[in-house]
Every structure is written in C-alpha cells, then in structure tokens.
Amino acid sequence: MAFANLRIAHKIMSGLGMFALLSIFLAGFATYHAHRMAAGSRSLVEEEPASLRAAALANENKTKMHQIWYASVIENDAPDFAKMMEQVAGERRELNEHLNVLRPLMEGEAKAQFAKVEQGLADYVRATDAVPALWHAGRREEVEARLHLDDR
C-alpha cells in the first residue's frame, strides 16, 4: 500500500513517528558531543593551569637571571659578585625544573616551538657562562657585549 493511499490518521502517526525518531537521534548526537566537550574541558582544566604556571615561573626565572647579569656589570665587589653568581645558578636550576614540567605537556607544533625556546635558552646560557671569567679579568666591555647591553 502506498503512503498516498493511507488514512489521514496513519499519515499523521507516521509523521509523528518520524519526528520522534529524529528527536531521539538529535538527543543522542547532542549527548555524545556534550560528553566529548566535557572531556576536552576537563583536560584543559587539569593541564592548562599547570603548564601556564610553569611557563610563567620559567619566564620569571629567566627575567631574574637576566636582571642579575645586568647588575653584575656595575658590581665592583668580588664577594657580592660571587653571591650574584650563586643567585644565577639558583635561577638556572629553577628554570630547568620548570622546563622539565613543561616538556611532557608539549604536543605537535607546540613541541617544535618549545624546542626552539630551549635552544635559545641554551645559547643564552652558553653566552653568559663566559661572564664570570671576563668580570674577574676586568673586561667589563666584553661583559656588556655578551649581555647585549650595547643593543639598547
């Protein structure tokens, strides 16, 4: 029997049945996507604050370390300079700890960017490693050049 030959009551019931099936499908689809969105949000809540905090603390360590290097240029007292170098070493240790927290959280493109940041920090550390010997030798101009103070 063709749909056109059905009684009006059967046609209305068929239409309502189709709407019911469509509603059930849409409700299931919405539930599935809500669950996926909740899982994504949960991972953001669990991982993002830790990575943001570690990144901020790493940036703070790098900034403090650079400020100490700047102050070392004008320092004239060897014991004070030695204390500054201890502070730099402490900031480096903390920086490395924060980078170790961040490293496992990196994925995809962020991992490549993180590798570039780590390479830049390694270059910075290599450049500043020569500062104490230059300072003790009284070669302040070279210290300033190492720290890029002449680029202001």
Side-chain angles (χ1 to χ4, degrees), residues 37-54 101-102 105:
M37 190 170 66
S41 297
R42 189 176 323 110
S43 72
L44 283 176
V45 167
E46 291 170 356
E47 294 174 11
E48 290 299 317
S51 64
L52 289 174
R53 178 170 165 67
V101 168
L102 282 171
L105 301 175

Side-chain angles (χ1 to χ4, degrees), residues 15-16 20-21 27 42 48 51 53 73 76 78-79 93 100-101 113 116 120 122 127 132 142 144 149:
L16 289 175
L21 287 175
R42 189 176 323 110
E48 290 299 317
S51 64
R53 178 170 165 67
V73 173
N76 291 314
R93 277 191 303 278
N100 290 336
V101 168
Q113 288 294 103
K116 288 180 184 178
E142 291 180 55
E144 289 180 18
L149 293 179

Side-chain angles (χ1 to χ4, degrees), residues 10-148:
H10 289 138
K11 289 179 183 178
I12 292 173
M13 291 305 285
S14 296
L16 289 175
M18 296 292 272
F19 280 125
L21 287 175
L22 181 62
S23 296
I24 290 170
F25 172 76
L26 287 176
F29 189 70
T31 302
Y32 169 74
H33 279 286
H35 178 71
R36 281 190 51 206
M37 190 170 66
S41 297
R42 189 176 323 110
S43 72
L44 283 176
V45 167
E46 291 170 356
E47 294 174 11
E48 290 299 317
S51 64
L52 289 174
R53 178 170 165 67
L57 290 172
N59 190 39
E60 181 181 334
N61 293 127
K62 165 60 171 80
T63 302
K64 283 182 184 176
M65 192 168 47
H66 203 62
Q67 288 171 345
I68 295 167
W69 283 124
Y70 276 1
S72 73
V73 173
I74 60 171
E75 185 56 56
N76 291 314
D77 188 37
D80 288 343
F81 184 78
K83 288 179 188 174
M84 288 178 164
M85 294 306 100
E86 289 173 15
Q87 289 175 327
V88 166
E91 293 299 329
R92 278 188 187 175
R93 277 191 303 278
E94 286 184 32
L95 176 63
N96 288 332
E97 289 170 11
H98 297 307
L99 293 176
N100 290 336
V101 168
L102 282 171
R103 194 173 294 109
L105 301 175
M106 297 297 136
E107 297 175 355
E109 188 177 322
K111 195 171 195 171
Q113 288 294 103
F114 188 74
K116 288 180 184 178
V117 168
E118 283 190 308
Q119 183 59 50
L121 287 170
D123 293 344
Y124 176 79
V125 167
R126 266 193 305 281
T128 57
D129 278 345
V131 168
L134 293 171
W135 187 91
H136 287 294
R139 296 162 50 187
R140 301 287 170 87
E141 296 81 22
E142 291 180 55
V143 169
E144 289 180 18
R146 284 267 174 184
L147 299 174
H148 303 289

